[in-house]
Amino acid sequence: MNNKIIQILVPAVAVIVIFESIILVTNLEKNANTAVVSEVTPTTTEAETKVNSFDLSFSTDSKEMKIGKKYEVSVKLTAKENYNLNALDLYVKYNPNAVTVSGLTSLKSLGTPNLLKVSDKKDVIAVNYLFGEVNGMVFTKDKEEILLTFMVTPKTDGSSSFEISTGDSEGDSVTMFVDKSTSKSLNFSSNKLEVQIIK
Amino acid sequence: MNKQRGISQIAVMIVMLVLAIALPITTNLIKQSQENRSKAAESYSYYQNWNGVCTKTDINYESKASCESALSACNSNTRARNEGWACYENKGTCYTNSSCVTSAKPSCSSLGGSCMNVATCNEEGGSVITGTDCSAACCKVSTPTTCTGKFGSSSTCVSASYCPDASEQGHADNCGSGLICCPSDKVSTNTVTPTTAPTTGGSSTCNGTYHCVYSGANNCAGYCIDECGNKDTSSAYDNCGSATTGTSYWYYTTADVTLTTGAVIAKGTCQQTSSTYASQSDCQTALNTNLSGKTSGVCYASQSACTSANTATGSSYWYLTTADITLTTGAVIPKGTCQQTSNTYASKSTCESNLNNSSNNTYGKTTGTCYASQSACDSANTVVGAPTITSASAVASGTSIKISAVGVSIDHASITASDKSTFVGNMTCSGTTSCTYTVSGLTNGTTYTYWVKACSVNKGDTCPAANTAWKSVTAKAGSIASIVNIKLAFAGVKLNNGQCATNWPVTLKMVDNTGKSVVDQVFNGVPTQTASVNSKGEIIYDFNVTVNNVPGTGGSDLAFFLAGPKHISLKYGKNNQSGWYSNLAGTLGLTGGSTNNYDFSGYSLLAGDVTGNTAGTPDGKIDGRDFSYIKEKANVLASGAAGTNVSGDLDGNCQVNSGDVRLIKQSLTEINGQTY
């Protein structure tokens, strides 16, 4: 008789325990979610990131250019590690009095840039990407990619240079690789392309 | 077998029962812990003081009640805590409730009371009136004709002057403010009060607290009385009228002295005093008081003694003044002037002895060195160390312009007009680094240029060229305050969807066509939502600021820069602007003393500045970092309650979502299009 009662009670209590587990723990999770009202935002600064994450380099067929002829110049990008980026702003500074820049071509695999323009207000080529993918845009370690190609037509003789802009006097034209996980700009290294323009 | 099975089933049963009981208890404990943490997160850490300033408390409080309780218990800053303070969860909420700034409260005195603490009020037998301007309690004490101080009911409430003996005055009485309790038999019945001063001669000087009471012809039949009307019979200073007897003396004038009758006593005259004095000392005191030191300060018993004492032959000397000296004529001998002595002296040492004799030289404002000639005086005071004015500024206020100069080693500086030679005035210097001067009575709207030069500590306003550090300042004499009413909109904040855009502060800066700030301040405030919308359905906000010290009237070349909490500074150069303004000079006017209305709601503030080098802190730019920040927030649909500031929420709907990502993209497209 007792055994029969226990045989009935054990599953009944087990059901109660399972019910409690589901209901109470679920409520607990709800509470936990609503309790996080003010989230703490990390306040790391760029200074903490000292290692260069990307290398940018210029390449061209010839560093000696004749006035009136067209030359192709490329900006290559190599990631030092695998990175997921949410945005990429690239600004190439040059002297519009010495050369004319045209024929901008961006890296197809990155999609359509948000901005791809030879500026008529500032002495830069501006390329901006906003990566809307949930995981951002993946840049693979050690894979060299041609980020930008453009044509240069020299106008006046002498030396002229192209370099990656890190900001002008108004705080514009800052080249940045924005990391998805931190929304901060990753460090990079770059070279400067010096060309000799002859008649 | 069955028995064993039964035991194991009982064991399982017991474990199950324990679990069934323990689970709800454990869950409840965890829930309480979470609630506590939740409360801690809703900390009330700001309070608003009486003038509407939001201040962060030293510690966070778990609830509004505990915050308010702690603040009200604090003794410091009682006015802030007692009048219109409240605790707020964050600064934004605090702004919203700016209406809690103290409204005008009735003054305690107008209600017949006076401010004092409650204990004193009770002691005085008064009643406390609440809600007045008192930082402590407002106490109303009825004023009885008789009082119950330490003298019992036979005492009377009177002012202190009618109960002159302090030992008789009651304490902690119930007479109320300004009155004391005095034994009735000690109350003075004297009602005599001093009348007008004698018209000629005499003195109003009485000893201690005695008054001078004048009467008779020319009010010269005066006498000194105490508070109870008793005459001062003991003092030689009973000289407030001609009642005093004594001797007249002779004195030697060291400069022309113009009497109030208009008559002039020539310099170098041995003159008899018009009053009589009890002693020679009294005579000398009166001389130095009445004739502003324009005598030798020595009273002689007879004319012959005076004459013989002042027939010294010799030379006049030169001395350097070490402070500005104002003569009775109103003329000023500036500090650093080489001045010739009015007397002649037999020797340099005699001259210096005279200069350094405090009774002869009541000013004491010379170096005490006599020089044989002006050139010797000048050369002896060659400036060591040239003072330098490093910067000078001029700020217009109404029809005045306040000129300020800062520099090194300056304790004397002067202002000249735009021609550099017309002296305007000497600056008042504080320490050796800063000086100020206010030019008044200028014409509104007129631009004035002044030159400021630093001078030697010894040279007054006669700055040697070698030490001249000219700085020019220019200001436009302005008018009084202006009101600026601005209508604006935040991009994407639409009607019925801006629950979290209710307290977004904005800043306003006004610049002229040179890019310089028109007024030396940035205006902060929280615009208020209206029921109106612009053509894009965005809520129109009203933003009103009062601008003081508007330089000039009718300016028409101004541009306003407006920025929001998540919005970059945007230039508005014309009324009803509907797009990017790229001209340098604006076309906006700012008329002093008037209300200036501008509608910028057609071109809403560009949203998206939410982060920068420091995560979550706007940096004045919208770039890829802001996009990334908002995108990541949108991925988790970060949200908050209505009225809060949700970081990354650009459209003010209390949640970060795709709409905010779209808004920042629009902002970037606009900015990039205008910048590149």
Side-chain angles (χ1 to χ4, degrees):
Chain A
M1 177 64 185
N2 283 343
N3 270 352
K4 277 190 178 177
I5 293 170
I6 288 171
Q7 279 173 356
I8 295 168
L9 278 176
V10 166
V13 172
V15 168
I16 292 170
V17 169
I18 291 166
F19 176 78
E20 282 181 345
S21 302
I22 293 168
I23 299 299
L24 295 177
V25 172
T26 306
N27 280 343
L28 206 58
E29 282 177 356
K30 277 183 188 171
N31 283 336
N33 287 337
T34 54
V36 185
V37 172
S38 59
E39 64 183 57
V40 178
T41 311
T43 55
T44 52
T45 62
E46 284 184 338
E48 292 173 18
T49 314
K50 301 207 185 244
V51 179
N52 286 329
S53 304
F54 291 93
D55 281 341
L56 282 168
S57 60
F58 287 97
S59 69
T60 181
D61 294 336
S62 172
K63 288 192 175 180
E64 190 173 85
M65 299 180 173
K66 275 192 170 183
I67 293 174
K69 284 191 70 178
K70 277 192 174 179
Y71 299 88
E72 186 178 276
V73 174
S74 299
V75 179
K76 294 178 178 176
L77 173 73
T78 307
K80 297 290 190 69
E81 298 290 342
N82 288 339
Y83 287 108
N84 291 44
L85 299 186
N86 268 344
L88 193 164
D89 295 348
L90 173 70
Y91 297 94
V92 177
K93 197 162 56 177
Y94 74 103
N95 181 2
N97 295 322
V99 299
T100 300
V101 171
S102 60
L104 303 185
T105 308
S106 61
L107 181 59
K108 293 284 183 279
S109 62
L110 299 184
T112 306
N114 187 249
L115 173 68
L116 179 64
K117 186 177 183 183
V118 179
S119 174
D120 54 4
K121 299 184 179 77
K122 294 177 180 280
D123 300 340
V124 294
I125 303 164
V127 187
N128 287 182
Y129 288 98
L130 303 174
F131 302 121
E133 295 80 358
V134 172
N135 292 320
M137 182 60 68
V138 179
F139 286 78
T140 309
K141 180 182 180 183
D142 294 334
K143 182 181 178 184
E144 184 181 84
E145 297 190 277
I146 298 174
L147 196 56
L148 174 69
T149 304
F150 54 91
M151 303 305 294
V152 172
T153 308
K155 293 196 288 191
T156 57
D157 59 344
S159 65
S160 187
S161 66
F162 298 84
E163 58 185 307
I164 303 300
S165 170
T166 54
D168 58 19
S169 59
E170 294 168 311
D172 296 324
S173 308
V174 181
T175 296
M176 58 177 72
F177 299 86
V178 183
D179 183 41
K180 175 192 178 315
S181 59
T182 63
S183 294
K184 296 174 75 63
S185 182
L186 298 168
N187 285 355
F188 63 89
S189 64
S190 65
N191 69 348
K192 183 177 179 180
L193 175 62
E194 291 270 8
V195 297
Q196 282 299 321
I197 300 172
I198 56 175
K199 290 182 180 175
Chain B
M1 182 67 184
N2 273 347
K3 191 179 179 183
Q4 281 181 343
R5 200 171 148 199
I7 290 169
S8 64
Q9 281 178 337
I10 288 170
V12 170
M13 178 74 178
I14 291 168
V15 170
M16 290 288 191
L17 281 172
V18 168
L19 274 174
I21 295 166
L23 257 176
I25 294 172
T26 310
T27 309
N28 200 38
L29 286 173
I30 294 172
K31 199 174 173 182
Q32 276 188 348
S33 168
Q34 285 174 344
E35 282 174 0
N36 286 340
R37 277 159 44 202
S38 174
K39 279 180 184 172
E42 293 173 358
S43 59
Y44 285 80
S45 57
Y46 284 89
Y47 69 87
Q48 183 177 59
N49 68 21
W50 61 275
N51 61 0
V53 175
C54 288
T55 307
K56 197 172 192 323
T57 55
D58 294 335
I59 58 173
N60 290 343
Y61 298 98
E62 288 188 354
S63 67
K64 186 173 183 179
S66 63
C67 168
E68 292 178 345
S69 173
L71 290 186
S72 63
C74 182
N75 288 330
S76 64
N77 198 11
T78 51
R79 199 173 168 203
R81 307 311 164 42
N82 290 336
E83 298 179 21
W85 63 267
C87 291
Y88 301 96
E89 185 179 349
N90 56 49
K91 202 168 184 177
T93 316
C94 192
Y95 275 132
T96 305
N97 290 280
S98 58
S99 60
C100 73
V101 176
T102 308
S103 57
K105 294 190 173 183
S107 69
C108 181
S109 59
S110 70
L111 299 172
S114 53
C115 296
M116 63 181 73
N117 62 50
V118 174
T120 307
C121 185
N122 291 336
E123 196 178 7
E124 296 283 336
S127 55
V128 174
I129 305 169
T130 57
T132 69
D133 62 347
C134 285
S135 58
C138 177
C139 182
K140 187 168 184 180
V141 181
S142 58
T143 306
T145 52
T146 59
C147 45
T148 56
K150 67 178 181 179
F151 308 111
S153 58
S154 62
S155 301
T156 306
C157 291
V158 294
S159 64
S161 62
Y162 285 86
C163 189
D165 186 346
S167 66
E168 303 289 0
Q169 294 171 2
H171 302 281
D173 51 59
N174 58 344
C175 288
S177 176
L179 300 177
I180 62 169
C181 197
C182 190
S184 298
D185 61 343
K186 299 291 183 183
V187 175
S188 168
T189 55
N190 170 51
T191 55
V192 177
T193 53
T195 55
T196 54
T199 52
T200 58
S203 167
S204 61
T205 305
C206 289
N207 266 344
T209 58
Y210 283 71
H211 297 305
C212 189
V213 178
Y214 310 102
S215 63
N218 294 327
N219 286 323
C220 283
Y223 50 90
C224 291
I225 61 165
D226 65 13
E227 302 287 356
C228 291
N230 302 313
K231 280 191 179 180
D232 180 5
T233 56
S234 61
S235 173
Y237 284 82
D238 189 1
N239 59 351
C240 54
S242 59
T244 304
T245 58
T247 311
S248 68
Y249 286 81
W250 292 81
Y251 63 95
Y252 183 82
T253 56
T254 56
D256 288 352
V257 178
T258 303
L259 301 178
T260 52
T261 58
V264 175
I265 303 172
K267 170 183 162 186
T269 304
C270 271
Q271 181 76 6
Q272 189 170 24
T273 61
S274 55
S275 299
T276 57
Y277 299 96
S279 68
Q280 187 183 41
S281 169
D282 285 354
C283 170
Q284 286 171 358
T285 300
L287 279 185
N288 289 329
T289 303
N290 296 340
L291 298 178
S292 302
K294 289 191 171 180
T295 74
S296 64
V298 177
C299 290
Y300 300 97
S302 65
Q303 184 173 19
S304 60
C306 175
T307 305
S308 63
N310 290 285
T311 54
T313 56
S315 307
S316 66
Y317 285 81
W318 293 80
Y319 62 95
L320 185 79
T321 57
T322 55
D324 289 354
I325 299 175
T326 303
L327 302 178
T328 52
T329 58
V332 175
I333 303 174
K335 177 173 79 172
T337 304
C338 274
Q339 182 78 4
Q340 192 170 22
T341 62
S342 53
N343 287 340
T344 57
Y345 298 97
S347 65
K348 180 173 181 287
S349 61
T350 308
C351 170
E352 289 173 352
S353 173
N354 184 71
L355 279 183
N356 292 323
N357 185 330
S358 60
S359 63
N360 292 342
N361 170 28
T362 56
Y363 304 111
K365 291 179 177 177
T366 73
T367 60
T369 300
C370 293
Y371 302 94
S373 64
Q374 184 172 15
S375 60
C377 180
D378 281 338
S379 62
N381 288 284
T382 302
V383 176
V384 177
T388 306
I389 290 179
T390 51
S391 66
S393 59
V395 177
S397 174
T399 57
S400 298
I401 292 177
K402 182 179 181 181
I403 300 167
S404 302
V406 294
V408 180
S409 301
I410 49 172
D411 77 341
H412 200 101
S414 61
I415 312 289
T416 55
S418 58
D419 60 3
K420 272 192 181 180
S421 59
T422 303
F423 177 72
V424 174
N426 287 315
M427 302 184 88
T428 301
C429 298
S430 172
T432 58
T433 55
S434 64
C435 304
T436 59
Y437 186 85
T438 300
V439 192
S440 302
L442 305 175
T443 304
N444 269 354
T446 301
T447 299
Y448 294 88
T449 297
Y450 297 99
W451 288 89
V452 181
K453 60 180 177 177
C455 306
S456 160
V457 293
N458 291 324
K459 281 293 178 181
D461 62 351
T462 53
C463 292
N467 296 314
T468 300
W470 290 102
K471 289 282 178 187
S472 74
V473 289
T474 299
K476 185 185 280 186
S479 58
I480 53 176
S482 294
I483 306 294
V484 178
N485 289 336
I486 293 173
K487 290 190 182 302
L488 58 88
F490 298 106
V493 177
K494 300 194 172 179
L495 206 58
N496 302 322
N497 201 28
Q499 308 92 318
C500 279
T502 55
N503 53 14
W504 284 0
V506 300
T507 60
L508 166 67
K509 189 171 78 171
M510 290 171 273
V511 298
D512 61 18
N513 62 4
T514 64
K516 290 180 181 173
S517 183
V518 173
V519 287
D520 189 20
Q521 59 181 310
V522 174
F523 298 93
N524 298 290
V526 179
T528 52
Q529 283 190 357
T530 70
S532 305
V533 295
N534 62 13
S535 60
K536 289 179 276 188
E538 293 163 339
I539 298 170
I540 295 176
Y541 289 74
D542 279 335
F543 181 44
N544 302 326
V545 296
T546 299
V547 187
N548 293 313
N549 303 333
V550 176
T553 57
S556 59
D557 57 356
L558 307 180
F560 294 178
F561 285 84
L562 283 168
K566 313 167 189 199
H567 309 77
I568 57 167
S569 180
L570 213 52
K571 185 176 186 178
Y572 293 92
K574 63 180 180 182
N575 194 18
N576 299 312
Q577 187 172 316
S578 57
W580 189 275
Y581 192 83
S582 54
N583 294 341
L584 175 62
T587 63
L588 304 175
L590 188 62
T591 304
S594 300
T595 298
N596 303 265
N597 296 303
Y598 293 110
D599 187 351
F600 302 138
S601 62
Y603 187 47
S604 43
L605 288 168
L606 295 178
D609 181 20
V610 291
T611 191
N613 281 340
T614 302
T617 302
D619 64 349
K621 295 282 180 187
I622 299 177
D623 54 33
R625 289 177 298 192
D626 299 296
F627 169 79
S628 176
Y629 186 89
I630 291 171
K631 179 192 155 192
E632 293 305 311
K633 293 272 184 187
N635 281 345
V636 295
L637 295 177
S639 63
T644 60
N645 180 20
V646 181
S647 183
D649 173 26
L650 303 183
D651 56 12
N653 69 350
C654 305
Q655 185 185 67
V656 187
N657 52 31
S658 59
D660 302 297
V661 175
R662 180 176 48 78
L663 273 173
I664 190 174
K665 280 186 166 181
Q666 287 175 355
S667 296
L668 281 167
T669 300
E670 171 76 353
I671 294 165
N672 286 336
Q674 298 300 335
T675 308
Y676 301 102

